[in-house]
Structure formats: structure tokens, C-alpha cells
Amino acid sequence: MDKAVSIIVPTYNERDNITPLVERLHHALSGRAYEVIFVDDNSGDGTAELASALSAKYPVKVIVRKDKRGLASAVVDGLSRASGSIIGVMDADLQHPPEVLPELLREVDSGADIAIASRYVKGGGCQGWGRVRKIVSRGAIFLAHLLLPSTKRVKDPVSGYFAFDRRVLDGAELRPTGFKILLEIIMVGRFHKIAEVPYTFGTRSGGESKLSLRQQIEYLKHIYSLMRRSGELTRFAKFCLVGFSGVLVNMGLLWLLTEVVGLFYLLSAAFSIETSIITNFTLNDRFTFRDRRSAGVKSFAGRLLKFNLVSLAGLVLNMSTLWLFTEVFGVYYLVSNLFGIAVAILWNYLVNSWWTWRQ
Ligand code: GDD
Ligand code: MN
């Protein structure tokens, strides 16, 4: 006997879509125990009333929230009413074809903890998307992969269409904002196996999209919140701390080699810069990225080489920014250098995180 599934569908003004949605789900899931839970944010078009009427004929539950609190939080509220041991999440507007759901359930039935309907695995795609929306979508995923590296194992971590074993969320605290509930689940849930099933994100058949600039800002806030909660922000703070220790090593050695040993100051500088790069590397390897280094001397040397290259490029960036702000924008050079240092720190951190200590 297959496990029962609860399909959570957030809705806001989707009256024209929910009847075909329920009919197609019913057809696609024939023979399986299921329920559909609509979580409606008090739509003005009668979505909730129609959903309640549908419950006479289909296993449909309706939650109506008085104020509009967004897609992701609607899913969290839906979870509290779900009785299935498998949870499905999808949009109401038929852009997520209900016929793909059995494929997701097949994956979960055969051992996947989470199965994602994915636009970005072979065979997946988006129907009728213009260049701008494509870039925004790719950019959003790149940002997640860059700032939350553990999401890299998923090609489409911002998909809104997925199914999972509800035990993934045992003991997890969900605090999403905006649209991307899957990102939250990938970051705070407990799981081993994730499967991605290709699908084509369709065009909307009725109503209109709620994805706005405001949602994109919410997305950035959500990523920031996840960075904080998952320790990625602490990692960045550690990296800055190590960088500061490098400044002390650099300055101390420059003084020592010039004043005490008597070397020409530019020669001392070359030594002290490289020494601080090596101490920074060692500290970051042992401390900042401890959990991400792969064992073995060879890879240690490889990481050190990468770190050196990144630092060199960081130096060039620091100086170019210093030049740009001072010469072009007319900023006082000591102030310009602060911008230069900020740019270099960000560069060093992100590229080293992406490349040197890649996850
Ligand atoms: N309860 C509730 N409250 N539901 C909402 C809200 C809200 O504030 N805003 C949107 N929804 C519902 C819509 O009614 C729809 O069923 C679903 O959430 C998705 O909203 P759309 O406005 O259709 O989103 P979209 O098509 O632009 O964006 C989708 O695309 C992403 C892929 O790029 C979203 O589905 C994402 O989940 C998906 O990942
Ligand atoms: Mn949509």
C-alpha cells in the first residue's frame, strides 16, 4: 500500500484554475490515498468558497488566512493540517502540470527523501520565457549556490513543485519569507537522497503571476536569513578575522625585515605579503573552511596554489578600486582604499569559497 500524500497548494486569486487542478490531480493520483490542502490568503475572487464547494466531491481541505502572508508561509500553515506521510507542494495555476506528481511520488516511494520537479535537469525547461525572466531565474539559483553552498547538489533549488517524506522536517524549524519554501527545506531539513525529475514549467492559464520586484527583495532577505541560521555568516566573519590577523603578520614582518634584518623595504614587503598569504591560508583551512577541505597533501598544495592566485587577483582588485575612486570619483585616497579593501575581501571570500574550498 502506497503512503498517503497531502498536496499543499497556496492560492491567491486562482478561482479559474482550481477546478481543473483538482480534476487533473484526481485523475493523476487514481488509486492512491491523497488530500489537497488549499491555503488561501483571503482571495477576493472567491477562490476559497469554490475550494470549499469542491470538497463535497473531492478530498479537499481549505485553510483561509485573514491576511496575505505569502506563498512560503502558506505552505508552512498547510503542513500543520496535513495528515499524509508524504507531502507534495505545488502552485494552483497549472504551471506545474499535475501529471508530473506521480513521477515525484514514485521517487519518494522508492527511497528519495525529497523529489523535485526541476526545470534545470536534462529534459526540463520553461515555456514561453523571455530573456529577462530566464536571467532572473538563473541569477537567483546562482546566488543560492554561491551563498548557501550546500544547495549546490540541487539544480533547481527554487522550484515550487516537489514532494518529500515528512520526516525530513522532524525537529526542523521553518522560518521562510517570500516564495521559496523549497530552499528553506533544503537548508533546514534532514535528508540523504534528493531526486530531480525534469518537467516543463508551463504558461499560466488564468489569473496573473504574483512574482514581483518585492518578491525578489524577499528572496534576498530569505538567503540572508538562511546564511545567518546555517552558519555561513559566521564563516564570513571568521574569514574577516583571519584576514585581519594577516594584516598584523604582514605589517610586523615588514617592520622586522626592514628595520632589524636590514632588507630593502620592497623586498621585505614581498616576503611579508607572501608569508601573510600562507598564514591566512593555513588558518582558513584549519578554521574557516574546516568542514570543506578534502584530505591529502596533494589537495592541500592545490588549495594553497588556488588561494595564492585568488589573493593576487584580490590585490589587483584592491588597487584598481583605489585608483578608480581616487582618480575618477575624486575621493580621498585613504577612504578609497577602504572601498578597495571591501571589494577585495568580498572577492577573496566568494571565490575561495566557490573554488578553493569548493563543496
Ligand atoms: N496563500 C498565498 N499567499 N498564495 C500565494 C501568494 C500569497 O501571498 N502569492 C502567490 N500565491 C500562490 C499563487 O496563487 C500560486 O498558486 C502560487 O502561489 C505561485 O504564485 P505565482 O504568482 O503563480 O508564481 P510564479 O508563477 O510567478 O512563480 C512560481 O515560479 C517559481 C519558479 O520560477 C512560484 O511557483 C514558485 O513556487 C516557483 O518556484
Ligand atoms: Mn505561476
Side-chain angles (χ1 to χ4, degrees):
M1 184 62 190
D2 287 334
K3 291 177 180 158
V5 53
S6 299
I7 304 140
I8 302 175
V9 185
T11 55
Y12 190 70
N13 291 342
E14 303 286 359
R15 186 194 55 217
D16 296 341
N17 296 321
I18 60 172
T19 306
L21 173 72
V22 170
E23 284 167 353
R24 280 168 66 180
L25 276 174
H26 188 73
H27 185 71
L29 295 174
S30 68
R32 183 155 196 149
Y34 80 93
E35 64 180 358
V36 178
I37 304 175
F38 286 108
V39 187
D40 188 68
D41 278 355
N42 220 1
S43 301
D45 71 346
T47 301
E49 292 76 4
L50 179 58
S52 302
L54 283 167
S55 69
K57 193 169 168 207
Y58 298 100
V60 166
K61 289 180 184 168
V62 186
I63 301 175
V64 181
R65 309 195 298 177
K66 281 283 157 278
D67 42 350
K68 189 166 180 305
R69 274 175 287 142
L71 195 170
S73 91
V75 173
V76 176
D77 280 345
L79 272 169
S80 64
R81 287 281 302 280
S83 60
S85 43
I86 299 180
I87 306 292
V89 175
M90 69 191 298
D91 293 352
D93 55 6
L94 301 169
Q95 291 188 281
H96 295 158
E99 293 68 31
V100 174
L101 189 58
E103 289 180 56
L104 298 178
L105 297 178
R106 197 172 312 132
E107 292 289 344
V108 178
D109 286 336
S110 58
D113 299 296
I114 305 177
I116 300 166
S118 175
R119 296 164 291 170
Y120 299 119
V121 290
K122 199 167 177 289
C126 304
Q127 219 170 55
W129 274 24
R131 182 172 305 183
V132 173
R133 180 129 201 217
K134 270 188 197 151
I135 293 173
V136 169
S137 173
R138 288 284 189 178
I141 293 173
F142 174 71
L143 217 56
H145 285 170
L146 181 66
L147 299 174
L148 303 167
S150 64
T151 64
K152 273 195 198 165
R153 57 189 287 195
V154 180
K155 294 243 167 10
D156 195 353
V158 297
S159 172
Y161 192 10
F162 54 96
F164 61 99
D165 185 316
R166 78 179 301 159
R167 283 176 301 189
V168 165
L169 292 181
D170 280 351
E173 192 192 342
L174 296 174
R175 277 190 278 155
T177 157
F179 266 34
K180 302 306 178 188
I181 181 69
L182 176 61
L183 196 62
E184 179 82 13
I185 293 175
I186 293 173
M187 289 303 295
V188 309
R190 266 193 308 172
F191 51 85
H192 299 288
K193 196 174 165 217
I194 294 195
E196 286 186 81
V197 172
Y199 89 108
T200 301
F201 186 79
T203 47
R204 219 174 212 283
S205 55
E208 57 190 45
S209 168
K210 286 94 198 168
L211 195 70
S212 55
L213 181 66
R214 174 149 176 245
Q215 284 312 325
Q216 289 166 27
I217 293 167
E218 287 295 317
Y219 180 69
L220 297 182
K221 282 199 214 156
H222 191 195
I223 288 202
Y224 177 79
S225 149
L226 284 169
M227 285 179 73
R228 191 167 42 71
R229 284 183 277 149
S230 66
E232 289 300 324
L233 223 51
T234 312
R235 195 195 295 280
F236 179 61
K238 285 180 181 169
F239 190 84
C240 292
L241 204 67
V242 168
F244 184 69
S245 82
V247 173
L248 298 183
V249 169
N250 187 340
M251 298 284 275
L253 205 60
L254 179 62
W255 176 83
L256 196 79
L257 292 176
T258 311
E259 301 298 327
V260 182
V261 180
L263 293 184
F264 180 54
Y265 78 101
L266 285 180
L267 188 61
S268 311
F271 274 113
S272 34
I273 288 171
E274 184 54 29
T275 306
S276 65
I277 288 179
I278 292 173
T279 55
N280 277 358
F281 170 77
T282 310
L283 287 173
N284 282 321
D285 203 56
R286 300 265 154 108
F287 173 58
T288 317
F289 292 102
R290 195 192 171 81
D291 54 321
R292 278 207 231 151
R293 58 189 179 172
S294 36
V297 177
K298 200 173 153 213
S299 72
F300 180 87
R303 292 199 297 278
L304 179 57
L305 179 66
K306 287 177 179 173
F307 189 81
N308 258 282
L309 292 174
V310 176
S311 303
L312 206 66
L315 200 68
V316 172
L317 266 176
N318 189 334
M319 291 179 68
S320 319
T321 312
L322 171 60
W323 175 86
L324 184 79
F325 277 68
T326 310
E327 303 296 331
V328 182
F329 302 146
V331 177
Y332 182 56
Y333 77 101
L334 288 180
V335 176
S336 300
N337 198 37
L338 291 178
F339 287 102
I341 290 172
V343 168
I345 287 182
L346 280 178
W347 159 269
N348 283 345
Y349 180 72
L350 292 175
V351 180
N352 279 311
S353 167
W354 184 268
W355 189 43
T356 313
W357 287 280
R358 99 173 276 122
Q359 189 164 37

